Amino acid sequence: SGEMAKLPPLLDNEAFRAYATYATIVLLKMMLMSLVTAYFRITRKAFANPEDTASFGKAENAKKYLRTDPDVERVRRGHLNDLENIVPFLGIGLLYALSGPELSTALLHFRIFAGARTLHTFAYLIPLPQPSRGLSWAVGYSVTISMAYKVLKTALYL
Amino acid sequence: SGEMAKLPPLLDNEAFRAYATYATIVLLKMMLMSLVTAYFRITRKAFANPEDTASFGKAENAKKYLRTDPDVERVRRGHLNDLENIVPFLGIGLLYALSGPELSTALLHFRIFAGARTLHTFAYLIPLPQPSRGLSWAVGYSVTISMAYKVLKTALYL
Amino acid sequence: SGEMAKLPPLLDNEAFRAYATYATIVLLKMMLMSLVTAYFRITRKAFANPEDTASFGKAENAKKYLRTDPDVERVRRGHLNDLENIVPFLGIGLLYALSGPELSTALLHFRIFAGARTLHTFAYLIPLPQPSRGLSWAVGYSVTISMAYKVLKTALYL
């Protein structure tokens, strides 16, 4: 369409399309954590806000559902860990995709990151014995460092 | 200016300009949560760090202000919920704006998201009875999913 | 390379290269907080997950390491503050770099932000007496507001 023509051909570039695909996938995976949290809050009846427990009846009765639950807290830690690791991937990955990487190298970075973060979520939620979670975290972290190195090598302007 | 000429004409594209506008607005709204937190910490005298209470006098007296307060915690939950939902909007919305959407469709997505997140903040801070907060959260979430679908349809490269 | 040629010349633009450099630096700084958290969790023996304490022996013995520690919590607050402030910088800074700023003005914004966030981390972790942390936070916050003003002035499309 005419609209498309005015855009820079970012999405014609295969490395950028790969970035768009994997960035969207890991963000959707992160968004899923909100639904998992809601699921555990409802099934465990463990809420953070008085207004969330109003449907359980009178104030005195509802108050006991204002509590923390180990399963809810576990999902929330996994969600926060996603934020801490997916935000750097989003920012550094975007710049990396714009730095002219080899397509195969870029795909390798994006695929490993998405795989490692998916494993991290399973390791956190099941939970799997350590060092499953630690290793999957470290793999995603290392991929981001590797992309940051390429960005700084290509773009450095202090 | 000459500087501008070398840039890709991203900001000549109306859908991208709309993204730039609404992304900036929701980020400024999120940043406002820091000021609201500071306001409640100071008025409720509820701090997280010993060095923040030093102005209240001797260590023994100041120590009692190292505490959590329901109003402060409520704002902090709202702030974290912003992070969890605005980060996906930023990343997916950027890719969506680059995917050549119809301008009117893009504006619809961005406006609904910004409106829903503003409502979410009011619903959290006042607080409004449920399902106000739940619904405004779900609307913003759905807008992001809709944009993610368009990005993957346009750019998918696994 | 041929791959590079198809990309828009974003990284030929000096203001965008400066953004790429400083965005990567502040994200790497934020990522460092994960390592500092891990360091304090291990040296203070304060963990959040039962599976993380399994190497300390039998369940009953290991259970006592499932606890919060003031040093760990301090690093985690610093990490969350980074997320709350670096996410707006990433998003607004990207749009600012695309809005055709004077190179020297852009560099000034990026350098001050990176410096202020580095100071904020030292002020939080050492910790330095207030208002060190408060001021370094406010400087980074103000830089982001200034960039947001330029973005909205250049791109506003509601």
Side-chain angles (χ1 to χ4, degrees), chain A residues 1-8 10-11 14-25 27-28 30-35 37-38 41 48-54 76 79-80 83 86-87 90 94 103 107 111, chain B residues 8-10 12-16 74 77 80 83-85 87-92 94-95 97-103 123-124 127-130 133 137 140-142 144-145 148-149 151-152 154-158:
Chain A
S1 75
E3 199 68 310
M4 195 68 186
K6 285 190 283 179
L7 278 170
L10 278 171
L11 289 180
E14 287 169 325
F16 195 84
R17 279 178 57 195
Y19 168 74
T21 301
Y22 286 96
T24 302
I25 288 172
L27 284 172
L28 289 172
M30 186 173 90
M31 289 173 71
L32 207 56
M33 301 303 269
S34 299
L35 298 183
T37 303
R41 283 205 182 282
N49 300 291
E51 66 270 27
D52 303 350
T53 64
R76 293 182 66 225
H79 200 166
L80 187 56
L83 267 174
I86 289 175
V87 164
L90 275 188
L94 172 71
L103 175 61
L107 278 169
R111 285 171 182 159
Chain B
L10 279 172
D12 287 353
N13 180 274
E14 286 169 325
F16 195 84
R74 178 175 283 279
R77 287 195 298 274
L80 187 57
L83 267 174
E84 292 168 359
N85 288 279
V87 164
F89 173 81
L90 274 189
I92 293 171
L94 172 71
L95 300 165
L98 295 173
S99 73
E102 286 293 324
L103 175 60
Y124 221 144
L128 299 176
Q130 287 282 31
R133 197 182 85 238
W137 172 84
Y141 195 89
S142 306
T144 309
I145 299 282
Y149 174 76
V151 170
L152 291 180
T154 311
L156 193 68
Y157 196 100
L158 284 164

Side-chain angles (χ1 to χ4, degrees), chain B residues 81-143:
Chain B
N81 194 281
D82 267 355
L83 267 174
E84 292 168 359
N85 288 279
I86 289 176
V87 164
F89 173 81
L90 274 189
I92 293 171
L94 172 71
L95 300 165
Y96 170 75
L98 295 173
S99 73
E102 286 293 324
L103 175 60
S104 57
T105 316
L107 278 169
L108 197 68
H109 280 80
F110 301 154
R111 285 170 182 160
I112 293 175
F113 184 86
R117 293 307 304 177
T118 306
L119 276 175
H120 183 272
T121 299
F122 281 108
Y124 221 144
L125 297 189
I126 293 177
L128 299 176
Q130 287 282 31
S132 316
R133 197 182 85 238
L135 280 182
S136 57
W137 172 84
V139 169
Y141 195 89
S142 306
V143 166

Side-chain angles (χ1 to χ4, degrees), chain A residues 10 13 74 77 84 88 92 95 98-101 103 124 127 130 133 137 141 144-145 148 151 155-158, chain C residues 3-4 7-8 10-11 14 17-18 20-22 24 27-28 31-32 34-35 48-52 79 103 111:
Chain A
L10 278 171
N13 179 274
R74 178 175 284 279
R77 287 195 298 276
E84 292 167 359
I92 292 171
L95 300 166
L98 295 173
S99 73
L103 175 61
Y124 220 145
Q130 286 283 26
R133 197 183 84 238
W137 172 83
Y141 195 88
T144 308
I145 299 282
V151 169
L156 193 68
Y157 196 102
L158 284 165
Chain C
E3 199 66 314
M4 194 70 186
L7 278 170
L10 279 172
L11 290 180
E14 286 169 325
R17 280 178 58 195
T21 301
Y22 286 96
T24 301
L27 284 172
L28 289 173
M31 290 173 70
L32 207 57
S34 299
L35 298 183
N49 300 290
E51 65 270 26
D52 303 351
H79 200 166
L103 175 61
R111 285 171 182 158

Side-chain angles (χ1 to χ4, degrees), chain C residues 127-142:
Chain C
L128 298 176
Q130 286 283 28
S132 315
R133 198 183 85 238
L135 279 183
S136 57
W137 172 84
V139 169
Y141 195 89
S142 306

Side-chain angles (χ1 to χ4, degrees), chain A:
Chain A
S1 75
E3 199 68 310
M4 195 68 186
K6 285 190 283 179
L7 278 170
L10 278 171
L11 289 180
D12 287 353
N13 179 274
E14 287 169 325
F16 195 84
R17 279 178 57 195
Y19 168 74
T21 301
Y22 286 96
T24 302
I25 288 172
V26 294
L27 284 172
L28 289 172
K29 191 222 74 57
M30 186 173 90
M31 289 173 71
L32 207 56
M33 301 303 269
S34 299
L35 298 183
V36 180
T37 303
Y39 170 79
F40 279 113
R41 283 205 182 282
I42 291 165
T43 57
R44 268 62 170 170
K45 294 191 178 163
F47 298 91
N49 300 291
E51 66 270 27
D52 303 350
T53 64
S55 63
F56 294 113
K58 296 211 189 99
E60 274 321 294
N61 182 49
K63 211 170 178 179
K64 69 181 174 207
Y65 302 121
L66 281 180
R67 57 187 188 88
T68 59
D69 170 89
D71 292 327
V72 171
E73 296 308 305
R74 178 175 284 279
V75 184
R76 293 182 66 225
R77 287 195 298 276
H79 200 166
L80 187 56
N81 194 280
D82 267 355
L83 267 174
E84 292 167 359
N85 289 278
I86 289 175
V87 164
F89 174 80
L90 275 188
I92 292 171
L94 172 71
L95 300 166
Y96 171 75
L98 295 173
S99 73
E102 284 293 324
L103 175 61
S104 57
T105 315
L107 278 169
L108 197 68
H109 280 80
F110 300 154
R111 285 171 182 159
I112 293 176
F113 185 86
R117 293 307 304 177
T118 306
L119 277 175
H120 184 271
T121 299
F122 281 108
Y124 220 145
L125 296 189
I126 293 178
L128 299 177
Q130 286 283 26
S132 316
R133 197 183 84 238
L135 280 182
S136 57
W137 172 83
V139 169
Y141 195 88
S142 306
V143 166
T144 308
I145 299 282
S146 166
M147 295 193 302
Y149 174 76
K150 174 71 162 73
V151 169
L152 291 181
K153 212 181 61 169
T154 310
L156 193 68
Y157 196 102
L158 284 165

